[in-house]
Amino acid sequence: MSSSINSSSSSRSSCGLCPFAVQVIKGRWFTVFASFLIMAGAGATYLFGVYSKDIKSTLGYDQTTLNLLGFFKDLGANVGVLSGLIGEVTPAWFVLLVGSAMNFAGYFMIWLSVTEKIAKPKVWQMCLYICLGANSQNFANTGALVTCVKNFPESRGVMLGLLKGFTGLSGAIFTQIYLAIYPNDSKSLILLIGWLPAALSVVFVYTIRPMKAVKQQNDLRVFYHFLYISVSLALFILAMNLIQKQVAFSQAAYAGTSAVVCLFLFLPLAIAIREELVLWNLKKKPVDPPTEVSIEKPQEIQEIKDDLDLQVQNTKSTTCFGDICNKPERGEDYTILQALLSMDMMILFIATFCGLGSSLTAVDNLGQIGESLGYPTKTIKTFVSLVSIWNYFGRVFSGFVSETLMVKWKVPRTLMMTFMLVLSSLAYLSIAFPFPGSVYVASVIIGVSFGAQLTLLFTIISELFGLKYYATLFNCGQLASPLGSYILNVKVTGMLYDREALKQLAEKGLTRSSVKELTCLGGQCYRLSFSILAAVAFFGALVSLVLVMRTRKFYKGDIYKKHREAA
């Protein structure tokens, strides 16, 4: 008798759990958790410095050719127009599946090439593979990030910071997992980059979808809990990087470290379940009938109708490419051509070309920089991981800090971009004229500056030119980044490195045909190129200072007034 009672009670319990589990999986907070995981796998482009050495040595590339690959990686990662257009006409699950297929196809072909399982591909084929794989992260952005922003429209700034922060941490997360699964085999890292992000998108593909936006009073508190978890994850990986540099880890130790990283990544699921449990309990409570019904008066209805008619007329009077010369005030909704042909956007373009172009060049060459200065392979991986970690901190906190300075003291957000460009130029000088530990310092500064510049660029564009055509302007603003990377990485850094390497070969009485891989050793390998990068970044800071002066009056005003009135 008692056994039948127990079985029936357990049956009722399981029946009660099933609807709740369905609510959790279909809820907004589970979408946020799934998006964190997808974005944590969408930053594989930052690991190029780890596996680029394998590409260079296996395929016999010189530095110029390797930097050409780096340019196509940056091109794929920063040109997201295709994913945006597909996202306009297809659901999020289709966008994520397309990105998953592109990610696996691109990096799997690179892995086959590096492991010599297929015939040596031509350079243009390798450029195509890496561009295809890198472009997949834009599909993750469109499928996961854009969906989350639409689901939490009143928390879009916090949401963007968190999701892009997880992308910034991606390189460091992959490094820990790769050391646990494929110890001392950096070629297998390429395979990991190929299958893991693709698998994450496939697993969570149907849980990420637009939902009705519902503002809850505790939303900001929940986002801060997510922030605490992500900061703890970043600090843990940072500590592990420092410890792994001093202590030789066993395979079991790396597995334990990777397990802790995975635990941090899944902690947001507990928060999602907690919030859905609150909603579940609220649904069970009886709802009191409304005691008073508010009915608009005819005059109020007419005023609302007149306002709507005026908005429709304004919308019809301007198209996305119309009124090029008649530019609105800063902060109003610019058309695409108005924004692209404005002096503010041109200044931003030049500053981005100098700042992000030089930052991408430094990140892509970090592996070869460590090699030229005689650092061991494990230490070089530490440099790349440090860039990823501090890139996260730059992304997450630059928005918070610049927001506080702007709201409390009316400091233009553009001034922080100037500061970051000056900071990055000092980091490049520490590589051009190395001293003991200089690459550690440079990797931290470059990571913070790189992440901060990205967040500041996207925020400044939305503030100066409005949100009406933000998706297009967002992608147009990024175009300066791969262009700067191509000129500074391929045409400057790569060529100067190869010239110095050929000079070293000549001193040994050898020619280029005598060696398979063109390698330069010594502090002089990057001295001239990084001195040029420092000068370019400083010039970008001076250019951005012009934008500071132009926008000083704008930032002294209440730039969010229009949005509050609209709300």
Side-chain angles (χ1 to χ4, degrees):
M1 181 70 176
S2 61
S3 61
S4 62
I5 294 174
N6 291 335
S7 63
S8 62
S9 62
S10 62
S11 175
R12 286 194 300 271
S13 175
S14 61
C15 290
L17 286 175
C18 287
F20 176 67
V22 171
Q23 176 182 314
V24 170
I25 294 174
K26 289 185 175 181
R28 290 190 307 158
W29 294 111
F30 190 86
T31 298
V32 174
F33 158 70
S35 298
F36 285 161
L37 291 184
I38 290 175
M39 297 307 292
T45 52
Y46 303 122
L47 286 167
F48 184 72
V50 175
Y51 63 81
S52 59
K53 172 70 175 174
D54 295 306
I55 295 177
K56 184 179 181 182
S57 59
T58 304
L59 302 180
Y61 289 162
D62 56 24
Q63 192 63 30
T64 302
T65 305
L66 188 68
N67 286 4
L68 182 65
L69 281 184
F71 160 71
F72 275 93
K73 169 188 68 69
D74 297 335
L75 182 69
N78 288 281
V79 179
V81 178
L82 177 62
S83 63
L85 292 174
I86 292 176
E88 292 289 344
V89 295
T90 61
W93 64 263
F94 182 80
V95 175
L96 289 172
L97 284 180
V98 171
S100 173
M102 290 173 62
N103 184 88
F104 181 76
Y107 286 110
F108 186 66
M109 292 304 297
I110 296 174
W111 176 74
L112 291 176
S113 304
V114 171
T115 54
E116 299 179 294
K117 296 184 183 296
I118 59 174
K120 179 181 176 179
K122 299 183 185 302
V123 174
W124 71 264
Q125 291 174 315
M126 287 295 291
C127 291
L128 177 63
Y129 298 154
I130 200 164
C131 185
L132 186 70
N135 193 248
S136 65
Q137 77 176 45
N138 293 304
F139 285 81
N141 284 335
T142 303
L145 186 146
V146 172
T147 302
C148 279
V149 170
K150 289 180 179 179
N151 291 344
F152 295 88
E154 295 185 52
S155 306
R156 66 185 70 179
V158 179
M159 179 62 72
L160 280 168
L162 284 169
L163 289 170
K164 297 302 288 183
F166 272 99
T167 305
L169 272 180
S170 181
I173 293 170
F174 268 100
T175 300
Q176 294 298 320
I177 296 175
Y178 133 75
L179 289 172
I181 302 177
Y182 307 110
N184 303 318
D185 183 8
S186 52
K187 291 182 181 179
S188 295
L189 173 62
I190 305 172
L191 181 61
L192 181 69
I193 292 170
W195 70 261
L196 184 55
L200 288 172
S201 292
V202 170
V203 168
F204 294 107
V205 67
Y206 290 113
T207 63
I208 297 180
R209 63 195 187 283
M211 303 176 194
K212 183 179 178 181
V214 180
K215 174 67 176 176
Q216 294 175 258
Q217 292 183 352
N218 67 334
D219 277 2
L220 187 59
R221 177 179 63 85
V222 177
F223 285 126
Y224 269 105
H225 290 170
F226 289 142
L227 176 63
Y228 300 150
I229 291 173
S230 66
V231 170
S232 300
L233 172 60
L235 292 176
F236 173 78
I237 296 177
L238 176 61
M240 287 301 102
N241 271 280
L242 297 176
I243 295 173
Q244 288 164 3
K245 175 67 174 63
Q246 302 297 328
V247 180
F249 270 42
S250 64
Q251 183 65 22
Y254 280 123
T257 302
S258 179
V260 175
V261 168
C262 293
L263 176 64
F264 275 114
L265 288 174
F266 278 85
L267 272 180
L269 176 59
I271 295 177
I273 293 173
R274 182 194 69 189
E275 294 306 311
E276 292 297 337
L277 183 61
V278 172
L279 294 175
W280 177 264
N281 291 330
L282 285 174
K283 287 180 181 178
K284 291 182 176 180
K285 292 182 179 179
V287 180
D288 296 330
T291 56
E292 182 179 346
V293 178
S294 176
I295 303 175
E296 290 93 341
K297 298 177 183 179
Q299 182 181 356
E300 293 174 343
I301 294 175
Q302 184 61 41
E303 289 176 356
I304 293 172
K305 183 177 182 298
D306 292 341
D307 289 341
L308 290 174
D309 291 340
L310 183 61
Q311 290 177 18
V312 171
Q313 291 175 8
N314 291 337
T315 302
K316 290 181 179 179
S317 64
T318 59
T319 63
C320 60
F321 295 105
D323 292 334
I324 299 173
C325 298
N326 187 23
K327 293 184 177 67
E329 296 290 326
R330 288 190 183 94
E332 299 298 322
D333 290 325
Y334 279 57
T335 66
I336 294 173
L337 286 182
Q338 282 176 345
L340 293 180
L341 298 178
S342 69
M343 184 59 66
D344 289 347
M345 181 63 87
M346 292 179 184
I347 294 173
L348 263 178
F349 189 91
I350 296 172
T352 303
F353 174 93
C354 297
L356 289 179
S358 59
S359 294
L360 284 169
T361 299
V363 171
D364 288 347
N365 285 273
L366 208 53
Q368 278 67 46
I369 291 169
E371 180 190 32
S372 68
L373 296 177
Y375 288 94
T377 303
K378 184 185 289 187
T379 303
I380 293 172
K381 292 181 175 63
T382 302
F383 294 153
V384 177
S385 192
L386 281 175
V387 167
S388 181
I389 294 168
W390 291 104
N391 182 17
Y392 158 81
F393 283 112
R395 290 180 184 217
V396 171
F397 290 113
S398 62
F400 286 100
V401 173
S402 62
E403 187 79 17
T404 302
L405 293 174
M406 184 183 67
V407 172
K408 287 190 175 182
W409 294 288
K410 302 298 181 182
V411 177
R413 201 187 299 271
T414 47
L415 185 60
M416 191 168 185
M417 177 175 279
T418 303
F419 174 74
M420 288 299 168
L421 286 167
V422 173
L423 197 63
S424 63
S425 68
L426 296 177
Y428 305 146
L429 287 175
S430 69
I431 292 176
F433 303 96
F435 53 85
S438 62
V439 183
Y440 284 104
V441 176
S443 63
V444 171
I445 296 176
I446 291 169
V448 170
S449 172
F450 183 34
Q453 286 178 68
L454 280 171
T455 301
L456 292 169
L457 171 67
F458 300 148
T459 309
I460 291 169
I461 288 176
S462 71
E463 290 170 345
L464 297 184
F465 308 113
L467 295 173
K468 188 173 184 180
Y469 301 108
Y470 180 57
T472 303
L473 296 177
F474 172 93
N475 285 303
C476 290
Q478 289 189 103
L479 291 177
S481 177
L483 180 62
S485 171
Y486 176 75
I487 294 175
L488 297 174
N489 199 0
V490 179
K491 295 300 182 183
V492 176
T493 305
M495 294 181 67
L496 290 175
Y497 177 96
D498 288 340
R499 189 180 73 178
E500 192 63 38
L502 289 171
K503 188 187 297 184
Q504 291 183 3
L505 279 178
E507 291 173 355
K508 298 176 182 178
L510 301 173
T511 61
R512 174 68 182 92
S513 58
S514 305
V515 294
K516 182 180 180 181
E517 179 186 355
L518 192 59
T519 303
C520 179
L521 298 176
Q524 70 276 13
C525 298
Y526 285 97
R527 179 159 297 152
L528 179 57
S529 59
F530 269 72
S531 296
I532 293 172
L533 288 184
V536 168
F538 188 73
F539 174 73
L542 295 178
V543 171
S544 70
L545 198 58
V546 175
L547 189 61
V548 174
M549 301 304 295
R550 288 174 59 87
T551 59
R552 183 177 55 182
K553 182 179 178 181
F554 169 71
Y555 279 106
K556 280 186 177 179
D558 187 356
I559 68 172
Y560 295 136
K561 181 180 179 181
K562 181 181 73 170
H563 298 289
R564 282 199 301 271
E565 289 176 349

